[in-house]
Structure formats: structure tokens, C-alpha cells
Amino acid sequence: MNWEDTPEEAAFREEVRTFVRDRFPSGYRPDPDAEQSLEPEDVRGYNWPVDRVSDDPQRREGARRWASVLAERGWIAPHWPVEYGGAGLTAMQEFILQEEMMRARVPTVNGIGAFLIGPTILAHGSDEQRAEHLPRIARGEVTWAQGFSEPGAGSDLASLRTRAVRDGDEYVVDGQKVWTSLGQYADWLFVLVRTDPDARKHRGITFLLIDAASSGVTIRPIEDIRGAAPFCEIFFDGVRVPVANRVGEENQGWYVAMAALGFERAGIGATIKYEQALAELIGCLSDDPQQASSSLGREGSPLPRGDVSLGREDVSLRREIARRYTEIRVLYNLARYTASREEPGYEASVNQLFGAELHQRLARTGAKTFGEAARLWQRDGSPMNADFTHMRMDSVAATFLGGTTEIQRNVIATRGLGLPRE
């Protein structure tokens, strides 16, 4: 397929570039020591849900100002209807907007709210839910987290045991969720609960919206192997949730959740991050000082190169880097194709699967490049600020975040290729 911009798309791309250059808050700078939250649209040094509540007043103000600037254009949730705070952009315009923001290394705002639960409420929510929640997401006033996985229900999500019992106009929720990305910073949660314990496991699940400040909700951050805490565990102890907060019909939440996961798997963010990381690696290996300094931070300082002379002469490494380059271009085309679909289907799982495994291959290529230096965790004085060491740790989770590779292959086989389930 020909993905070259039409004249209208090219004009919009230039509009985005000018907007980011002129309107991004000058005081909102990346934190070089901050770990990413592992979400695909993360930009190194930024974590908008965390930054908006930072103890650093300049960082907090920068995050909130950036949200306000984007909200003026409807660009926090650009594909949404204008009546809910969006900009009514086409799917390809939204793709271009996200692509250019990633290339400029500025953070998206309210990613889980804008790209995951928002489209789900648009598709399956009530008019009252749309009116209550969507404008606040689109203004960057409220953040969301996804409460799906449980200690005994990760890949086999339909085995979840968190229960909700109907009591008049409310559900009473008891149970536990785990690995909830940025849940400790969320104002609201969207949660899968079991409402019919006797039904077949996919058919007794309901999709609820829960205020994180509700009585009986306890949130505990979980530290990962990097020493960061990008996710948490959440406990529900007699939490009362209005029936009006149910999305879709009772016991039909599994189908709503699958639609939500389709939106999650359809992004461009990972592609641009891998492209930039590989460009920096090639620059670091280059004998040409101009090329070696071509990948700069927002301050314009060249990345430290360290001793990578052995890697530069390794013919097999050159071939491996060429393969990574080709794979990144494939991933870009998969993302463009997924974005061209009105509603993501199995194509989103192809994109997710290929991108997750590429993440790990790219991290291994970086580790091979730097040899023993790839063991260095501290950034100061390490080749490329130890970016690939940190990427290697990030990539451990890549093949089960957003659905394991086994689940993605099942989706592709059954929904894409029409193969039987047994």
C-alpha cells in the first residue's frame, strides 16, 4: 500500500510540527533518570500521569499546561466527536498527530483514558456515561487505569474471580487486581468483575467504572526489576458501585473488554521509539562525528559513545542491525494499516505481537553491541546513557503486556485465519 501523505495530510503534518514547536511548554523538560511506565506511547523522561501530580512545581505545571494546550485543539482525544471534547479528526490524521508528537519527543496526555477507555465508552457506554466521563478525559482533568489482570487470571483473563453482587441500584465488589499500570495515579478504574459464578467463564463477566477514591479501594504500588513502580495491585473490599457505572449489559463485559483491548493494540508509539533508539545506536557506532551526534536530547547534547569499537567492526552485528531496521519499517506499515481500519480487529494483534517481539530483539542487539558495557545500569558515563541496558529490562515484560504472545497468536489464528479453536 502507498502510505505517502496526501496533500491534505502533508499540510496537517506540518501544522502539527509547528504547533508542537511553538506551544510545548518550555519549562516542561524530560527527567533523564525517570524510568518509563512501559506504555507504548511513553516518551523517555516524561510520564504525564505522574508528572501532573509531581512534587516538582515546574514539572507539575508543565504537564498541566501541556494538557491545557492540547485540549484547546481537541488533540488529547483527537478522533473523538467535537461534542465530547475531541477534534473529529480522521483515523489517519490521528495517526499523524501521534507520530509527530513521538518524533518530537513530547508526551501524549491521558493515554489510557483517551486511547482505551474513551473509545470503549463511545462505542458501548450510555449517553450519561459519555456526558460524564468523556469531556473530563478530553480536558486532561481525570486519569484512568485498567483493572483486568488478577493473581490467578492474567493470560487466562476469563478465569478472573473478583466478584460483584447486585444490591438494589449498586454492585458490591470484592477481590483483587494486579499489574495495573499507573493505578496509583488514577482517578478512575475500569474493571472486569464476575457477576454470574455459574455461567460459562466468558459469559458471567461485567464491565464496571469505579471511582478510585471509593471506600474499600486499597492501592499498593509494585516495584519492578528496574526499581521503578509503573504498576500496582488493587484490593476491593465491599466497594459499592452504582449500576449506572456498568458499561454494556450485565454478564456481557467480556465483549466490551475485547473491544477495549483492540484499541490498546493499535498504536504507533512503539514504532517511533524503536526507530529513534536504532538511529541513536547507528550514530553511536559511526566513525562520522556528524552522524554520531545526529541523535540529540532536547537540550542538544550528544549522547556519550563509550568504547564500542569492537561492535563497530562486527560484520554479523551490522547484519543484525540491518534486520532490526527492516523489522521497524515492517512494524511501521503494520501500524499504518491498523490505523486505516475503522475499528481494530485481528490486525491489531498482529501489530502487538510483532512489536513486542521486536522490542526484545532490538534490546538484545543493543546488548550485543556494547558487550560487557551493556551490564552498566547507571546512566552517567555509560555508552548511550545505558539506554539499551534499560531497554533490555523494559523488554522483559513486552511479550505479556497487553496480552501474551500466545493470546495474540490465538486471536490471529481464529479471527484472522479462520482456524478452529481446537
Side-chain angles (χ1 to χ4, degrees):
M1 300 182 74
N2 180 9
W3 294 125
E4 290 194 12
D5 290 343
T6 65
E8 294 77 15
E9 290 168 349
F12 180 71
R13 189 180 296 276
E14 187 56 37
E15 178 186 349
V16 173
R17 290 173 178 171
T18 301
F19 172 84
V20 172
R21 184 185 64 240
D22 295 345
R23 301 296 304 277
F24 188 77
S26 60
Y28 189 17
R29 315 305 291 176
D31 178 356
D33 296 322
E35 298 293 346
Q36 298 179 156
S37 74
L38 305 181
E39 294 302 318
E41 67 275 3
D42 288 338
V43 174
R44 182 184 158 193
Y46 294 105
N47 193 332
W48 184 82
V50 180
D51 294 341
R52 70 187 280 267
V53 293
S54 172
D55 292 333
D56 180 344
Q58 188 173 28
R59 191 163 199 79
R60 184 173 64 250
E61 176 56 30
R64 296 185 180 192
R65 177 59 185 157
W66 180 226
S68 176
V69 166
L70 286 172
E72 289 174 11
R73 303 289 293 266
W75 281 2
I76 290 178
H79 194 32
W80 294 7
V82 174
E83 64 185 293
Y84 295 121
L89 300 186
T90 66
M92 200 52 67
Q93 285 176 318
E94 180 181 29
F95 183 97
I96 290 169
L97 173 62
Q98 300 305 325
E99 179 182 356
E100 291 303 319
M101 287 177 63
M102 289 296 298
R103 292 195 186 284
R105 304 190 187 213
V106 299
T108 55
V109 167
N110 225 349
I112 294 176
F115 305 139
L116 213 166
I117 185 59
T120 304
I121 293 175
L122 271 171
H124 299 281
S126 65
D127 290 340
E128 293 76 14
Q129 288 167 352
R130 295 187 190 105
E132 178 183 0
H133 296 293
L134 297 185
R136 291 194 292 167
I137 294 173
R139 292 192 296 265
E141 296 174 354
V142 176
T143 56
W144 287 75
Q146 171 186 301
F148 283 10
S149 295
E150 297 184 4
S155 300
D156 185 14
L157 181 58
S159 296
L160 65 89
R161 293 186 295 177
T162 295
R163 292 191 60 182
V165 177
R166 181 85 178 251
D167 181 16
D169 292 333
E170 296 178 316
Y171 289 104
V172 181
V173 179
D174 291 278
Q176 179 187 359
K177 299 294 178 178
V178 74
W179 314 124
T180 303
S181 297
L182 299 176
Q184 62 269 46
Y185 302 101
D187 301 299
W188 280 78
L189 313 166
F190 52 102
V191 179
L192 289 180
V193 296
R194 186 161 300 285
T195 42
D196 186 350
D198 299 320
R200 293 175 58 186
K201 64 181 185 179
H202 291 85
R203 298 181 182 274
I205 293 171
T206 298
F207 194 109
L208 296 180
L209 310 178
I210 301 180
D211 187 335
S214 299
S215 176
V217 175
T218 301
I219 299 177
R220 297 176 184 167
I222 300 174
E223 187 173 293
D224 65 15
I225 58 176
R226 309 168 305 166
F231 32 58
C232 66
E233 56 184 344
I234 304 177
F235 298 88
F236 302 95
D237 183 10
V239 179
R240 304 191 76 86
V241 180
V243 171
N245 286 11
R246 184 186 69 213
V247 179
E249 296 300 317
E250 185 170 290
N251 298 325
Q252 298 297 308
W254 179 258
Y255 308 102
V256 178
M258 291 305 98
L261 291 176
F263 293 118
E264 181 183 35
R265 296 167 183 157
I268 179 62
T271 309
I272 305 304
K273 286 199 296 189
Y274 302 159
E275 180 184 288
Q276 290 170 337
L278 187 64
E280 290 172 356
L281 180 63
I282 293 170
C284 189
L285 289 167
S286 174
D287 286 316
D288 181 355
Q290 202 58 24
Q291 184 179 358
S293 298
S294 63
S295 297
L296 307 176
R298 292 186 62 82
E299 300 292 345
S301 302
L303 297 166
R305 297 177 66 188
D307 183 7
V308 292
S309 56
L310 289 177
R312 194 183 304 123
E313 303 302 325
D314 189 334
V315 174
S316 67
L317 178 62
R318 289 173 177 267
R319 291 173 179 164
E320 191 170 322
I321 289 174
R323 285 195 292 271
R324 298 296 88 80
Y325 176 85
T326 302
E327 290 164 349
I328 290 169
R329 298 313 303 160
V330 170
L331 183 62
Y332 180 84
N333 280 275
L334 286 173
R336 290 284 301 232
Y337 179 73
T338 302
S340 72
R341 309 286 292 175
E342 280 301 313
E343 184 169 322
Y346 75 90
E347 301 88 356
S349 287
V350 175
N351 188 32
Q352 166 78 8
L353 173 63
F354 190 83
E357 294 186 341
L358 173 56
H359 189 180
Q360 294 179 342
R361 290 194 296 271
L362 181 59
R364 288 195 295 269
T365 296
K368 180 178 179 180
T369 300
F370 296 112
E372 289 299 310
R375 298 176 182 270
L376 297 173
W377 181 254
Q378 73 280 4
R379 292 190 181 275
D380 289 345
S382 299
M384 279 189 64
N385 292 324
D387 282 354
F388 275 89
T389 305
H390 287 248
M391 177 185 278
R392 187 169 52 172
M393 294 298 181
D394 293 349
S395 72
V396 170
T399 48
F400 54 86
L401 285 174
T404 66
T405 54
E406 292 81 5
I407 294 295
Q408 306 301 351
R409 285 186 166 89
N410 284 340
V411 171
I412 295 165
T414 57
R415 300 182 192 175
L417 301 177
L419 298 178
R421 291 184 177 273
E422 300 295 337

